[in-house]
Amino acid sequence: MKHMVILTGAGMSAESGLKTFRDADGLWEGHDVMEVATPEGFASNPELVLEFYNQRRRQLLEVTPNSGHIDLAQLETDFKVTIITQNVDDLHERAGSTEVVHLHGELLKARNIVDEFSIIDWKTDIKLGDTCSNGHQLRPHIVWFGEAVPMIDQAINICMTADILVIIGTSMQVYPAASLMQYTPQGIPIYFIDPKPALKTQNNLTVIAEPATVGIKQLKELLKTR
């Protein structure tokens, strides 16, 4: 089986009703990103940050995978599929994908503020005063701006083994995720699905200027002809 590596971003989950990362004015749900997605923001106002992610978590539990998530899971019938996602939701897993690497953490997990590897499943609100067994405050298991991306080395190694690369619903502007394409073997087929693609079709790159649900169906038809 050929190894298909799929990079997904906010556009993958947008059609399930989850807001994309930030609006055109740079605000995220009315907040400056630096207030709610940095260690400094958490240190300054932990209650605001916890409630911000509590709202995101509640919303996630109300939505379901879209047809694009389901179509990607079905690709495992014909390919070895590894999904590397910038998304913090669990929609890929709920749709049936079995190999998912979360670069930026997971909304339905928590960890304490001392140990980044003290990861536990968490599906309810996190409140100030909620602590681990050692008495340390819990926080969302989210990689904030300015923090290391612990899964990036694993993601690079996965990309180095790709036979096909698919990029879906991401601007390819957020690093280090945007650099992953550079680690794939030279000349492999690359498909880029996004309604406003930042790349143009060239050589081994095929651009599908569609939302995720539509573009993935077109991708599956293209793969039949290869």
Side-chain angles (χ1 to χ4, degrees), residues 6-206:
I6 303 174
L7 309 181
T8 67
M12 183 73 231
S13 297
E15 293 173 90
S16 287
L18 292 179
K19 294 285 184 71
T20 52
F21 179 66
R22 60 177 110 175
D23 298 320
D25 58 6
L27 297 180
W28 196 5
E29 298 287 307
H31 295 285
D32 185 316
V33 172
M34 303 311 284
E35 290 181 350
V36 294
T38 63
E40 294 78 12
F42 184 70
S44 173
N45 193 341
E47 286 182 291
L48 171 69
V49 175
L50 290 176
E51 180 54 25
F52 177 82
Y53 287 98
N54 288 341
Q55 291 175 13
R56 308 283 79 69
R57 192 181 301 103
R58 291 178 215 136
Q59 183 190 28
L60 172 56
L61 292 171
E62 292 174 355
V63 303
T64 56
N66 59 55
S67 64
H69 292 106
I70 294 166
D71 283 341
L72 291 188
Q74 291 172 349
L75 285 170
E76 294 188 14
T77 303
D78 299 308
F79 299 91
K80 170 181 164 57
V81 177
T82 307
I83 295 175
I84 301 170
T85 186
Q86 298 173 66
N87 299 336
V88 296
D89 60 66
D90 66 335
L91 297 179
H92 283 303
E93 288 92 340
R94 277 197 256 163
S97 290
T98 59
E99 295 291 333
V100 185
V101 174
H102 287 267
L103 284 180
H104 296 159
E106 297 180 65
L107 198 50
L108 298 183
K109 292 186 178 179
R111 67 183 200 243
N112 69 51
I113 59 174
V114 175
D115 181 5
E116 64 180 300
F117 299 107
S118 61
I119 302 163
I120 56 174
D121 292 330
W122 195 278
K123 292 189 176 182
T124 59
D125 288 359
I126 302 176
K127 298 182 174 65
L128 207 57
D130 287 338
T131 61
C132 69
S133 57
N134 292 323
H136 302 305
Q137 173 66 43
L138 294 177
R139 53 160 280 183
H141 175 48
I142 303 291
V143 178
W144 288 327
F145 288 103
E147 294 185 319
V149 180
M151 301 301 289
I152 193 64
D153 288 340
Q154 180 180 341
I156 288 171
N157 289 335
I158 290 166
C159 287
M160 292 173 69
T161 68
D163 297 306
I164 301 168
L165 178 69
V166 181
I167 304 165
I168 307 171
T170 173
S171 64
M172 295 303 285
Q173 302 296 315
V174 179
Y175 286 83
S179 67
L180 289 173
M181 189 167 67
Q182 301 168 14
Y183 293 96
T184 56
Q186 190 170 5
I188 68 166
I190 299 175
Y191 298 90
F192 185 56
I193 301 171
D194 194 88
K196 297 179 180 178
L199 305 174
K200 294 182 179 179
T201 294
Q202 55 183 309
N203 298 328
N204 59 319
L205 172 65
T206 301

